[in-house]
Amino acid sequence: MAPQQNAGAGAEAELPEYAGHYRLESRLGSGGMGIVHLARSTSGMQLAVKVVHAEFAKDPEFRGRFRQEVGAARRVSGAFTAPVVDADPEDERPWMATLFIPGPTLSDHVKRNGPMDPAQLRRLMAGLAEALRDIHRVGVVHRDLKPSNVLLADDGPKVIDFGISRPKDSELRTETGKLIGTPPFMAPEQFRRPREVGPAADVFALGSVMVHAATGRGPFDSDSPYVVAYQVVHDEPDLTDVPANLAPLISRCLAKEPEDRPTPDELMRELRSVAASYDTQAFIPAQRSTEEPPDPGGGSEAVSEAESRADPRAGAKAGAQAEREPRVGGKAGRLPGGRRRRRRLLALGAGSVALAAVAALVCVQLLDGLEPTPEPRNPRSTSAGFSGWATPGPEKDTPLCSHGAGKVVCAQEGLVFALDPLDGRLLWRHPVDTSQRGGPPAVAGGLVHPWPGEGRRLEALDPATGRARWQRNVPAYGESVTAAGMLLLTGTDGTVTGVDAGSGDTKWSRRVTGLQAPRFVSFAGDSLAYATSPSLDGSSTRVVALDPATGDVRWDARLKGTLKPVGTSDGSVFFVSIEGIYSDARALVRYSPADRTSRRVPLPVPLSRAHGTVRGDVVYLVGGDGKVSAVDMEARGQLWSLETSVLRTSSPVSDGRHVYVSAPDGRLLAVDAGDGRLVGQTPPRLGASSDQLAADLPEPVLAGGHVYAAAPDGTVFAADARDPSAW
């Protein structure tokens, strides 16, 4: 293949065919430092490869800046950026390869479609605030946030191009008198004190980006960069046509002095209030009075009583929490016998405003370890007379839980622990690597498996004691899924490895043709695992069904649209069909591999950030606005839809009688699966840090007629799934 041709002149007229061992296929764009190409690895994985302009490759100072860009991009996680796969700053033409993220830039989107609507703006601002928080957390200042450096990916905005970013602990590579940045999106201090630029400059740029997204222009607009620089330093921003509910917050971002601007965390708190202004507490008919069992606790042989009382700060922390946090939906005074009466949750009055304010957009919580509870105060429940329980944990960590081997097993940062499913007693705890918090533990092959972090160790624990039974390393950028007693490990080269969950032995390893870095999902009661690979234009999705026991591909199909699997039933696989820059669900698809037929059922109203679960022919869906609905795929129509007034919920689970979802404030909601009535909910459990919510709400867990859930205050609790009206 001949080198690609470019219309430009000079050294850039003929582009290289390879960067390292990555074949350059087409040009995605060009910037001040280099050209970005769409490329493929040897295994076929798509990458975005930035190759430095030839004229700059000979400049030692420029090479230093490029090394700094690579270092900065590697320090930031891939949740809100394009992860670095490979780089060679010392090559004749320095280059850096990142995962290719399909989607337009914000600049291109506004050019093609005009300004965003208010709902899109709130979601964009929340996503950029999260991205900046992630970037600043590792000590990096981006310094060039602008619409062309924001990719609108399916799962939210991604910040790219760290070409002039600077780790706080590195040398500043800006020559005296030379301004680096894009004037309409630079902060005043970047003009006045360029050597003192900090994280607040990125917040200023975020404000400018939001004005552009809302109006199609910047807050300081002129054809002359010198005039723009003067306006940024001296004039007030033009916020004409910015939505009224966002204008005050954007104005704060554009404050002249860095100390007057909000931090990314403060932005996310304010944005939850903006979104919650449209929210109200869900009304529930009067429920019959019930009593809540006292707090369980107590150590088993694996957790001694001395350990459970080892932290004398627990009482002080509880007292401090009581002083600084209003008791919204809290517990009433104790009744004789150590019991507490549960408050009825009808309408919370002024308290509902506080709840709504924290039940909106996403931010990642600070996480703590589990402190064992004191010895149990409630009698051990029996399955026939299950009264529920609540095991309190730390203040700032939502546990992620599953059920298996007769235990409720949960994960927190740096910790996996097991609870007795009947009374909530802490049975054991086991420390794990702090990066291993990708999801709840899985139980397969008779062992408990904490999810591995990127390039970290895979571990299997004895469910009775919590002790490690085997350990092994996983591939860099690896993913794993537990299915039918097997762990599937995938690498960026498309290799899939089957590991026996009971022994840790490798059973098979192979490459699935045409899948670059397959990510498998599995569903309860189904022995297969599924990987999907959408086409670049979103017109179709390849679906591969793999047998985890052997590695054999059972079937391989290409289906219309961009599809995300949500469940299986009677040999069919169910998908949501998503469209647009924010992946709105527009339809449901059922595919029957036996006869290779598909059935598509349009949704009456698109759902943002849709998640679902399947029971028979019915798919239960939740959207980002808290709507819960049921769609009958056989009858090709929606059965019911319920507005819960919760702006974000967990994925749903269903036992056929009820649909259960968790809310950001710690409530567990139960909806009648037949007619969509809200029939029960538990009290909120926010904890001291009520302004910090989990990035992903853990879905409830159904087992043995009980439903288990977790809350932001660290509590794991159980309720009788047969009678939610008694909660």
Side-chain angles (χ1 to χ4, degrees), residues 52-63:
V52 168
H53 289 306
E55 60 186 284
F56 295 141
K58 302 174 183 178
D59 184 342
E61 193 229 349
F62 190 89
R63 278 183 176 268

PDB file of all heavy atoms in Angstrom, residues 52-63:
ATOM      1  N   VAL A  52       3.411  13.574  15.168  1.00  0.00           N
ATOM      2  CA  VAL A  52       3.898  14.949  15.252  1.00  0.00           C
ATOM      3  C   VAL A  52       4.306  15.456  13.870  1.00  0.00           C
ATOM      4  O   VAL A  52       4.878  14.717  13.054  1.00  0.00           O
ATOM      5  CB  VAL A  52       5.085  15.025  16.232  1.00  0.00           C
ATOM      6  CG1 VAL A  52       5.815  16.359  16.135  1.00  0.00           C
ATOM      7  CG2 VAL A  52       4.603  14.789  17.658  1.00  0.00           C
ATOM      8  N   HIS A  53       4.002  16.737  13.608  1.00  0.00           N
ATOM      9  CA  HIS A  53       4.421  17.357  12.352  1.00  0.00           C
ATOM     10  C   HIS A  53       5.938  17.222  12.182  1.00  0.00           C
ATOM     11  O   HIS A  53       6.703  17.376  13.139  1.00  0.00           O
ATOM     12  CB  HIS A  53       4.065  18.847  12.347  1.00  0.00           C
ATOM     13  CG  HIS A  53       2.590  19.106  12.243  1.00  0.00           C
ATOM     14  ND1 HIS A  53       1.803  18.587  11.247  1.00  0.00           N
ATOM     15  CD2 HIS A  53       1.765  19.858  13.023  1.00  0.00           C
ATOM     16  CE1 HIS A  53       0.567  18.999  11.405  1.00  0.00           C
ATOM     17  NE2 HIS A  53       0.503  19.770  12.478  1.00  0.00           N
ATOM     18  N   ALA A  54       6.357  16.962  10.948  1.00  0.00           N
ATOM     19  CA  ALA A  54       7.778  16.755  10.670  1.00  0.00           C
ATOM     20  C   ALA A  54       8.620  17.962  11.074  1.00  0.00           C
ATOM     21  O   ALA A  54       9.728  17.823  11.602  1.00  0.00           O
ATOM     22  CB  ALA A  54       7.970  16.439   9.184  1.00  0.00           C
ATOM     23  N   GLU A  55       8.098  19.162  10.847  1.00  0.00           N
ATOM     24  CA  GLU A  55       8.874  20.367  11.156  1.00  0.00           C
ATOM     25  C   GLU A  55       9.125  20.523  12.646  1.00  0.00           C
ATOM     26  O   GLU A  55      10.119  21.107  13.087  1.00  0.00           O
ATOM     27  CB  GLU A  55       8.143  21.598  10.624  1.00  0.00           C
ATOM     28  CG  GLU A  55       6.755  21.780  11.219  1.00  0.00           C
ATOM     29  CD  GLU A  55       5.993  22.919  10.566  1.00  0.00           C
ATOM     30  OE1 GLU A  55       6.312  24.078  10.881  1.00  0.00           O
ATOM     31  OE2 GLU A  55       5.089  22.627   9.757  1.00  0.00           O
ATOM     32  N   PHE A  56       8.202  20.000  13.480  1.00  0.00           N
ATOM     33  CA  PHE A  56       8.361  20.119  14.928  1.00  0.00           C
ATOM     34  C   PHE A  56       9.168  18.972  15.515  1.00  0.00           C
ATOM     35  O   PHE A  56       9.698  19.074  16.619  1.00  0.00           O
ATOM     36  CB  PHE A  56       6.996  20.160  15.610  1.00  0.00           C
ATOM     37  CG  PHE A  56       6.194  21.384  15.264  1.00  0.00           C
ATOM     38  CD1 PHE A  56       4.829  21.302  15.067  1.00  0.00           C
ATOM     39  CD2 PHE A  56       6.811  22.621  15.140  1.00  0.00           C
ATOM     40  CE1 PHE A  56       4.088  22.427  14.741  1.00  0.00           C
ATOM     41  CE2 PHE A  56       6.083  23.746  14.815  1.00  0.00           C
ATOM     42  CZ  PHE A  56       4.716  23.664  14.614  1.00  0.00           C
ATOM     43  N   ALA A  57       9.239  17.845  14.791  1.00  0.00           N
ATOM     44  CA  ALA A  57       9.938  16.678  15.323  1.00  0.00           C
ATOM     45  C   ALA A  57      11.419  16.958  15.544  1.00  0.00           C
ATOM     46  O   ALA A  57      12.080  16.258  16.317  1.00  0.00           O
ATOM     47  CB  ALA A  57       9.764  15.493  14.366  1.00  0.00           C
ATOM     48  N   LYS A  58      11.968  17.991  14.861  1.00  0.00           N
ATOM     49  CA  LYS A  58      13.388  18.317  15.009  1.00  0.00           C
ATOM     50  C   LYS A  58      13.644  19.301  16.140  1.00  0.00           C
ATOM     51  O   LYS A  58      14.793  19.631  16.433  1.00  0.00           O
ATOM     52  CB  LYS A  58      13.914  18.901  13.696  1.00  0.00           C
ATOM     53  CG  LYS A  58      13.744  17.958  12.503  1.00  0.00           C
ATOM     54  CD  LYS A  58      14.141  18.634  11.198  1.00  0.00           C
ATOM     55  CE  LYS A  58      13.889  17.722  10.009  1.00  0.00           C
ATOM     56  NZ  LYS A  58      14.224  18.379   8.713  1.00  0.00           N
ATOM     57  N   ASP A  59      12.584  19.789  16.785  1.00  0.00           N
ATOM     58  CA  ASP A  59      12.707  20.799  17.835  1.00  0.00           C
ATOM     59  C   ASP A  59      12.781  20.104  19.195  1.00  0.00           C
ATOM     60  O   ASP A  59      11.806  19.485  19.637  1.00  0.00           O
ATOM     61  CB  ASP A  59      11.498  21.733  17.779  1.00  0.00           C
ATOM     62  CG  ASP A  59      11.595  22.870  18.781  1.00  0.00           C
ATOM     63  OD1 ASP A  59      12.396  22.766  19.730  1.00  0.00           O
ATOM     64  OD2 ASP A  59      10.845  23.851  18.634  1.00  0.00           O
ATOM     65  N   PRO A  60      13.927  20.163  19.903  1.00  0.00           N
ATOM     66  CA  PRO A  60      14.061  19.474  21.195  1.00  0.00           C
ATOM     67  C   PRO A  60      13.012  19.931  22.209  1.00  0.00           C
ATOM     68  O   PRO A  60      12.491  19.111  22.974  1.00  0.00           O
ATOM     69  CB  PRO A  60      15.477  19.845  21.651  1.00  0.00           C
ATOM     70  CG  PRO A  60      16.199  20.208  20.393  1.00  0.00           C
ATOM     71  CD  PRO A  60      15.178  20.824  19.498  1.00  0.00           C
ATOM     72  N   GLU A  61      12.694  21.240  22.219  1.00  0.00           N
ATOM     73  CA  GLU A  61      11.706  21.722  23.180  1.00  0.00           C
ATOM     74  C   GLU A  61      10.326  21.156  22.860  1.00  0.00           C
ATOM     75  O   GLU A  61       9.565  20.780  23.748  1.00  0.00           O
ATOM     76  CB  GLU A  61      11.640  23.251  23.171  1.00  0.00           C
ATOM     77  CG  GLU A  61      10.874  23.804  24.371  1.00  0.00           C
ATOM     78  CD  GLU A  61       9.830  24.841  23.972  1.00  0.00           C
ATOM     79  OE1 GLU A  61       9.833  25.291  22.827  1.00  0.00           O
ATOM     80  OE2 GLU A  61       9.011  25.162  24.840  1.00  0.00           O
ATOM     81  N   PHE A  62      10.027  21.067  21.573  1.00  0.00           N
ATOM     82  CA  PHE A  62       8.740  20.520  21.184  1.00  0.00           C
ATOM     83  C   PHE A  62       8.652  19.037  21.537  1.00  0.00           C
ATOM     84  O   PHE A  62       7.610  18.560  21.992  1.00  0.00           O
ATOM     85  CB  PHE A  62       8.521  20.725  19.687  1.00  0.00           C
ATOM     86  CG  PHE A  62       7.131  20.398  19.245  1.00  0.00           C
ATOM     87  CD1 PHE A  62       6.146  21.373  19.255  1.00  0.00           C
ATOM     88  CD2 PHE A  62       6.803  19.115  18.849  1.00  0.00           C
ATOM     89  CE1 PHE A  62       4.856  21.075  18.862  1.00  0.00           C
ATOM     90  CE2 PHE A  62       5.520  18.816  18.454  1.00  0.00           C
ATOM     91  CZ  PHE A  62       4.540  19.802  18.461  1.00  0.00           C
ATOM     92  N   ARG A  63       9.733  18.302  21.325  1.00  0.00           N
ATOM     93  CA  ARG A  63       9.739  16.886  21.704  1.00  0.00           C
ATOM     94  C   ARG A  63       9.491  16.744  23.209  1.00  0.00           C
ATOM     95  O   ARG A  63       8.804  15.822  23.663  1.00  0.00           O
ATOM     96  CB  ARG A  63      11.065  16.230  21.333  1.00  0.00           C
ATOM     97  CG  ARG A  63      11.159  15.791  19.876  1.00  0.00           C
ATOM     98  CD  ARG A  63      12.472  15.078  19.618  1.00  0.00           C
ATOM     99  NE  ARG A  63      12.544  14.560  18.272  1.00  0.00           N
ATOM    100  CZ  ARG A  63      12.172  13.338  17.912  1.00  0.00           C
ATOM    101  NH1 ARG A  63      11.680  12.516  18.815  1.00  0.00           N
ATOM    102  NH2 ARG A  63      12.285  12.945  16.660  1.00  0.00           N
TER     103      ARG A  63
END
